[in-house]
């Protein structure tokens, strides 16, 4: 069953360059806002079970860096761009709709 587009947060909760951990339909998701775009990535590092939502956004590279050991993931694809993570993290389509951040879940 496809869940479709679901409201994940108010846009006002997610400032530019920030990351916000939310739970949407039972899934932990990290939302990030970079240069006016919003991104949604599973809120768990693929290196160890650690929340990416406490990490840091690099707006120029459009990546999210894990706070624990420093692996970084491309927010557009979920692919790791630096070690120690080697596996990608799932990403989900995200968009701004009015004052809300919407995420499309499979
Ligand atoms: S838990 Fe994220 S880099 Fe190790």
């Amino acid at each position: 069953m496809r869940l479709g587009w679901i409201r994940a947060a108010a846009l006002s909760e997610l400032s530019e360059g920030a990351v916000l951990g939310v739970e949407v339909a039972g899934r932990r998701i990290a939302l990030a806002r970079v240069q006016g775009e919003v991104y949604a990535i599973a809120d768990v590092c693929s290196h160890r079970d650690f929340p990416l939502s406490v990490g840091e956004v690099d707006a120029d590279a459009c990546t999210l860096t894990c706070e624990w050991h420093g692996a970084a993931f491309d927010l557009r694809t979920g692919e790791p761009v630096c070690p120690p993570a080697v596996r990608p993290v799932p990403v989900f389509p995200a968009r701004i709709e009015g004052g809300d951040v919407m995420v499309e879940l499979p």
Side-chain angles (χ1 to χ4, degrees):
M1 188 189 84
R2 204 170 173 78
L3 289 172
W5 288 93
I6 299 177
R7 180 188 181 277
L11 184 60
S12 58
E13 295 175 86
L14 185 62
S15 41
E16 177 64 37
V19 57
L20 175 71
V22 294
E23 192 168 314
V24 184
R27 282 179 200 238
R28 286 159 49 204
I29 293 178
L31 303 173
R33 190 165 165 190
V34 182
Q35 294 174 8
E37 298 286 333
V38 288
Y39 298 90
I41 186 166
D43 193 8
V44 58
C45 184
S46 63
H47 178 234
R48 298 272 192 273
D49 185 6
F50 192 76
L52 288 173
S53 57
V54 297
E56 248 181 62
V57 170
D58 180 330
D60 292 332
C62 200
T63 57
L64 178 57
T65 300
C66 179
E67 196 70 3
W68 196 358
H69 309 105
F73 299 89
D74 191 310
L75 284 163
R76 297 159 290 203
T77 63
E79 291 292 332
V81 296
C82 79
V86 291
R87 287 174 292 121
V89 172
V91 291
F92 308 97
R95 69 177 186 219
I96 296 168
E97 204 175 287
D100 294 323
V101 180
M102 306 293 292
V103 174
E104 188 181 30
L105 294 179

